[in-house]
C-alpha cells in the first residue's frame, strides 16, 4: 500500500500536473484545467470498472490526485464493455460519444504508460472486451 502523505512523484515518477500536461498534449486540450477535468471523469469511470489487485496496483502507480479519482468510486457489479464504458461516460458528462472516445483514449493512453505493460495486461484480462483500443492497444482475439 502507499502513504497518502508520500509525494506522488516518489510513488509514480510523475506528478498529477505532469500527468495532466501529458493528457493535455495527447488530447490537444486548450487548457490544463480541461485536461484535469477529463482525467478525473475518465479515472472515476475506470474506478467503477476495476476491482481487486489490479485496482490497487494501478492506484499505487498513479499520482495521488489520480488515485483519489480512481478509488472514490465503488466498482459496478457488472462491468461494461469498452463501448458501454464510453457511452456511459458520455451520458454522465453530457458529451458526445465521439468526444468521449477521444477523451478516454487521451487519458487511458497515459494511464497505460504509468501502469506498465504487465499491469496493463492484467487490467485488460479483467475487463470485458473493447478496452484494449481505449488504452491504445490492438485488441487481439483468438480464431474460433
Amino acid at each position: 500500500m502507499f502513504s497518502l502523505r508520500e509525494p506522488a512523484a516518489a510513488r509514480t515518477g510523475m506528478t498529477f500536473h505532469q500527468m495532466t500536461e501529458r493528457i493535455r498534449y495527447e488530447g490537444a486540450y486548450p487548457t490544463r484545467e480541461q485536461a484535469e477535468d477529463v482525467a478525473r471523469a475518465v479515472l472515476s469511470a475506470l474506478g467503477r470498472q476495476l476491482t481487486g489487485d489490479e485496482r490497487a496496483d494501478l492506484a499505487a502507480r498513479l499520482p495521488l490526485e489520480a488515485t483519489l479519482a480512481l478509488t472514490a468510486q465503488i466498482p459496478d457489479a457488472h462491468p461494461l464493455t469498452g463501448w458501454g464504458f464510453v457511452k456511459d461516460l458520455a451520458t454522465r458528462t453530457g458529451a458526445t460519444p465521439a468526444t468521449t472516445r477521444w477523451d478516454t483514449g487521451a487519458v487511458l493512453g497515459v494511464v497505460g504508460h504509468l501502469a506498465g505493460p504487465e499491469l496493463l495486461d492484467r487490467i485488460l484480462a479483467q475487463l470485458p472486451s473493447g478496452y484494449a483500443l481505449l488504452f491504445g492497444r490492438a485488441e487481439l482475439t483468438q480464431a474460433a
Side-chain angles (χ1 to χ4, degrees), residues 80-136:
L80 301 168
T81 64
W83 179 237
F85 176 85
V86 170
K87 290 191 308 185
D88 180 65
L89 184 55
T91 300
R92 290 174 187 267
T93 61
T96 67
T99 299
T100 303
R101 170 59 184 93
W102 179 267
D103 295 344
T104 301
V107 174
L108 294 184
V110 174
V111 168
H113 172 75
L114 288 171
E118 290 178 22
L119 177 55
L120 186 53
D121 287 345
R122 290 177 27 223
I123 289 169
L124 293 173
Q126 180 189 104
L127 294 169
S129 67
Y131 282 87
L133 289 174
L134 299 177
F135 280 95

Side-chain angles (χ1 to χ4, degrees), residues 35-56:
E36 286 178 7
D37 290 344
V38 167
R40 285 187 175 95
V42 172
L43 287 166
S44 292
L46 184 61
R48 289 189 291 276
Q49 304 305 305
L50 284 179
T51 61
D53 290 341
E54 289 74 22
R55 178 183 171 106

